[in-house]
């Protein structure tokens, strides 16, 4: 018998399905739509005799679930299952290897099962060498040399998308078509699409790879209509073995362009050719887009790319510093507190994060290894002043209290229970990070506490955010809320 986790057709609901449905509701609320959709939205609950198994679409997804969600799934399953049954976790490939798949098994998870694991992905360090003709063709299409898989830093927020991109670039057989990468501005979608294009051209030089932005698709199509060259325009795209379209949300609201894109997508998919697109939102959220086109985008594999967490931002900074050091011929080193400041301050966009590091290196070059935190803050102060929304301690307290479902009065009270003490420390850390208040002043605004109490709170949260993923996630969410 088969039970779904949100991607197969209608199935009679068994007791196990009911338990899994309740579990999914809680997980979606706790993890967020994007995270749940990327890692658990393609998973399925399987019943084989007495065995109950959660089957992840890929080995990468299985590993992520085991690391980040399995304990919580176990808790929710135990709470909701009156029969107290055990639940196992396997990838689809592992599950199928034990016997024939149940009738009606959805093909929607077949392809990515053979995607490389995270460890296999990270170990690949060989630079991509594209033939000269292909390189010229790529640059003419607007591909950027610096965007390769080797310069892409993967982490929990993007590793599933990264694994899928590498799978597509290897021209592996599969049913996922089209593939849609979606996520916030500035978090690697264009990088991933460029890297996919370069690798695909390197892997299969005889195949035709076409990369185009949605804006260029629109302008080129309009000009082709004006010049009565629509046949040539269609042939250019529909003869591609792999069509890559960046920022597809740009065509929303443009009826004739959407119509052409719809028929192009249909023709390529029906002919077994591959289509990969990026968007700033999930296809279901592109409400201004034609319903038919939106439906076809949703029918493929939708991969969410989440904002980078702190660990990933630090990894991006280290990789960027190594690149800059190679160009400037200096040692790729910087003081830890400088990199940590950049990772904590520039949370909204990888482009802004890299831009801040570019600014520091442009000012001091190889001396960045000796730069202090005060010097880095002084250099970046104009950037910070332009972008910083003035935040008060009162706003921080209100935001933190709301986040942890407390009252603002709890944070300034004498209560020492952990449920209050930890959010209070978080609020003090935020006040130190994003206001100009001194430690004594912050202490006074938290019920007249001594500055040493604030200093202890700041140091405690600094330590915890490196050890506790939940604290790190809370800090990221709160910083984004407070900075607007």
């Amino acid at each position: 018998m088969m039970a779904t986790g949100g991607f197969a057709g209608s199935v009679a609901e068994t007791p196990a399905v009911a338990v899994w449905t309740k579990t999914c509701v809680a997980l979606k609320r706790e993890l967020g739509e994007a995270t749940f959709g990327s890692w658990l939205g393609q998973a399925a609950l399987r019943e084989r005799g007495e065995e109950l198994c959660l089957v992840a679409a890929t080995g990468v997804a299985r590993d992520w679930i085991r690391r980040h969600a399995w304990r919580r799934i176990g808790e929710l399953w135990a709470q909701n299952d009156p029969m107290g049954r055990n639940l196992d976790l396997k990838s689809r490939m592992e599950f199928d290897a034990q016997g024939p798949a149940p009738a009606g098994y959805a093909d929607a998870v077949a392809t990515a099962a053979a995607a490389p694991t995270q460890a296999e992905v990270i170990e690949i360090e060989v630079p991509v060498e594209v033939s000269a003709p292909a390189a010229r063709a790529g640059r003419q299409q607007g591909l950027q040399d610096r965007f390769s898989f080797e310069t892409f830093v993967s982490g929990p927020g993007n590793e599933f998308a990264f694994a899928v991109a590498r799978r597509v670039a290897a021209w592996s057989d599969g049913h996922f078509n089209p593939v849609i990468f979606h996520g916030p501005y500035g978090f690697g979608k264009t990088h991933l699409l460029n890297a996919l294009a370069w690798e695909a051209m390197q892997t299969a030089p005889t195949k035709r790879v076409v990369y185009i932005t949605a804006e260029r698709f629109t302008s080129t199509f309009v000009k082709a209509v004006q010049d009565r060259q629509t046949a040539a325009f269609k042939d250019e795209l529909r003869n591609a073995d792999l069509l890559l379209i960046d920022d597809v949300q740009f065509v929303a609201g443009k009826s004739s362009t959407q119509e052409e894109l719809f028929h192009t997508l249909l023709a390529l998919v029906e002919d077994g050719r591959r289509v990969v697109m990026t968007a700033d939102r999930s296809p279901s959220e592109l409400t201004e887009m034609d319903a038919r086109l939106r439906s076809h985008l949703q029918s493929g594999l939708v991969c969410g790319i989440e904002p980078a967490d702190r660990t990933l931002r630090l990894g991006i900074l280290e990789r960027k510093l190594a690149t800059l050091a190679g160009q400037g011929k200096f040692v790729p080193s910087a003081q830890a507190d400088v990199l940590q400041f950049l990772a904590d301050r520039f949370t909204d966009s990888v482009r802004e994060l890299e831009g801040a590091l570019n600014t520091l290196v442009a000012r001091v070059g190889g001396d960045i290894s000796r730069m202090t935190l005060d010097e880095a803050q002084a250099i970046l102060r104009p950037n910070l002043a332009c972008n910083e929304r003035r935040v008060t301690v009162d706003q921080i307290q209100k935001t933190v209290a709301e986040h942890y479902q407390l009252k603002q009065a709890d944070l300034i009270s004498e209560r020492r229970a952990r449920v209050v003490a930890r959010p209070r420390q978080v609020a003090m850390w935020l006040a130190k990070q994003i206001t100009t208040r001194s430690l004594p002043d912050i202490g006074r605004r938290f019920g007249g506490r001594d500055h040493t109490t604030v200093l202890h709170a700041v140091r405690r949260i600094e330590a915890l955010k490196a050890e506790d993923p939940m604290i790190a996630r809370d800090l990221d969410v709160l910083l984004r809320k407070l900075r607007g």
Side-chain angles (χ1 to χ4, degrees):
M1 178 168 294
M2 185 264 304
T4 67
F7 61 82
S10 59
V11 181
E13 184 169 284
T14 67
V17 176
V19 175
W20 178 238
T21 300
K22 291 179 182 177
T23 301
C24 285
V25 170
L27 288 170
K28 189 176 294 186
R29 182 175 62 249
E30 294 175 12
L31 296 173
E33 292 280 350
T35 301
F36 181 89
S38 293
W39 300 106
L40 286 155
Q42 303 288 331
L45 186 68
R46 303 287 180 216
E47 300 181 54
R48 180 184 283 160
E50 297 298 317
E51 181 187 13
L52 280 177
C53 186
L54 180 62
V55 180
T58 70
V60 174
R62 175 207 58 207
D63 293 342
W64 186 94
I65 293 169
R66 195 180 301 282
R67 285 197 309 270
H68 300 284
W70 190 236
R71 184 167 62 180
R72 182 57 177 154
I73 288 173
E75 293 171 351
L76 292 168
W77 182 268
Q79 290 171 15
N80 293 313
D81 184 18
M83 299 173 65
R85 292 165 293 184
N86 290 325
L87 180 65
D88 198 5
L89 173 65
K90 295 177 182 176
S91 70
R92 179 187 181 274
M93 182 177 289
E94 290 172 330
F95 187 81
D96 285 355
Q98 295 180 342
Y105 190 90
D107 286 336
V109 296
T111 313
T117 64
Q118 183 186 11
E120 291 170 334
V121 169
I122 291 175
E123 287 170 2
I124 297 172
E125 295 292 345
V126 182
V128 175
E129 295 180 1
V130 182
S131 65
R136 283 195 299 272
R139 294 185 189 106
Q140 288 172 358
Q141 294 181 72
L143 291 173
Q144 300 183 54
D145 294 12
R146 63 192 178 96
F147 289 154
S148 68
F149 283 135
E150 284 64 48
T151 59
F152 189 89
V153 182
S154 65
N158 62 25
E159 62 186 349
F160 180 63
F162 185 55
V164 170
R166 297 215 72 145
R167 186 75 179 157
V168 175
W171 299 95
S172 302
D173 292 334
H175 305 289
F176 291 139
N177 205 14
V179 173
I180 312 297
F181 299 119
H182 72 89
Y185 170 82
F187 277 98
K189 299 186 301 297
T190 296
H191 188 149
L192 204 57
L193 208 62
N194 275 249
L196 197 165
W198 288 123
E199 184 104 345
M201 288 190 291
Q202 163 69 9
T203 304
T206 59
K207 291 186 180 290
R208 191 159 182 272
V209 178
V210 175
Y211 168 87
I212 190 170
T213 65
E215 183 177 7
R216 187 173 164 211
F217 180 98
T218 301
S219 61
T220 306
F221 173 65
V222 170
K223 189 174 188 305
V225 171
Q226 293 172 344
D227 296 343
R228 298 183 180 180
Q229 296 291 323
T230 54
F233 174 81
K234 292 177 182 179
D235 288 343
E236 174 72 16
L237 297 183
R238 298 183 191 185
N239 286 328
D241 295 293
L242 172 61
L243 175 63
L244 308 166
I245 301 181
D246 204 5
D247 288 326
V248 72
Q249 75 277 354
F250 185 83
V251 305
K254 302 174 175 66
S255 57
S256 59
T257 303
Q258 289 183 98
E259 182 77 14
E260 180 58 31
L261 180 57
F262 170 75
H263 289 295
T264 297
L265 174 62
L266 208 60
L268 288 169
V269 171
E270 288 181 350
D271 201 27
R273 299 168 190 264
R274 299 167 186 243
V275 181
V276 182
M277 302 183 187
T278 70
D280 63 354
R281 287 156 286 162
S282 170
S284 63
E285 297 174 332
L286 297 173
T287 54
E288 295 181 4
M289 185 172 281
D290 176 78
R292 290 185 307 165
L293 177 56
R294 188 169 68 243
S295 175
H296 273 73
L297 296 183
Q298 290 175 281
S299 70
L301 177 61
V302 180
C303 301
I305 299 178
E306 295 183 5
D309 62 13
R310 186 174 189 265
T311 301
L312 182 54
R313 292 196 298 273
L314 286 169
I316 290 168
L317 286 170
E318 290 168 359
R319 178 64 64 87
K320 180 67 174 178
L321 183 58
T323 301
L324 294 172
Q327 295 169 349
K329 294 182 172 56
F330 60 84
V331 177
S333 174
Q335 294 189 28
D337 58 354
V338 171
L339 295 181
Q340 288 167 2
F341 162 72
L342 295 177
D344 290 333
R345 176 57 188 83
F346 296 93
T347 61
D348 294 331
S349 167
V350 171
R351 291 193 183 101
E352 291 180 8
L353 181 66
E354 292 183 335
L357 183 60
N358 286 338
T359 300
L360 297 181
V361 172
R363 286 287 295 272
V364 302
D367 288 335
I368 191 169
S369 61
R370 294 189 292 272
M371 175 182 286
T372 66
L373 177 58
D374 287 342
E375 290 169 341
Q377 289 174 329
I379 291 172
L380 294 172
R381 189 166 291 125
N383 306 56
L384 300 176
C386 290
N387 298 324
E388 188 70 84
R389 190 180 94 180
R390 187 169 179 81
V391 180
T392 66
V393 175
D394 182 68
Q395 289 172 320
I396 290 172
Q397 290 173 346
K398 288 177 180 176
T399 303
V400 170
E402 180 184 353
H403 181 80
Y404 288 104
Q405 298 181 337
L406 299 171
K407 297 177 181 177
Q408 185 178 357
D410 291 331
L411 300 181
I412 60 178
S413 71
E414 293 298 321
R415 292 180 61 190
R416 296 185 180 182
R418 184 185 180 88
V419 69
V420 174
R422 186 69 78 231
R424 183 186 294 129
Q425 289 178 327
V426 167
M428 289 179 175
W429 182 88
L430 289 166
K432 178 67 174 67
Q433 295 295 313
I434 59 177
T435 76
T436 58
R437 299 291 180 184
S438 64
L439 294 179
D441 196 7
I442 293 171
R444 283 193 293 272
R445 291 163 189 271
F446 280 85
R449 284 173 166 79
D450 187 80
H451 77 280
T452 57
T453 302
V454 181
L455 183 59
H456 171 74
V458 170
R459 288 174 175 170
R460 183 64 183 140
I461 296 302
E462 281 290 337
L464 282 174
K465 70 179 180 179
E467 304 167 0
D468 188 334
M470 290 301 295
I471 288 288
R473 182 176 178 274
D474 285 347
L475 294 176
D476 271 355
V477 170
L478 289 164
L479 282 168
R480 287 195 183 91
K481 285 183 179 178
L482 289 164
R483 285 171 172 157

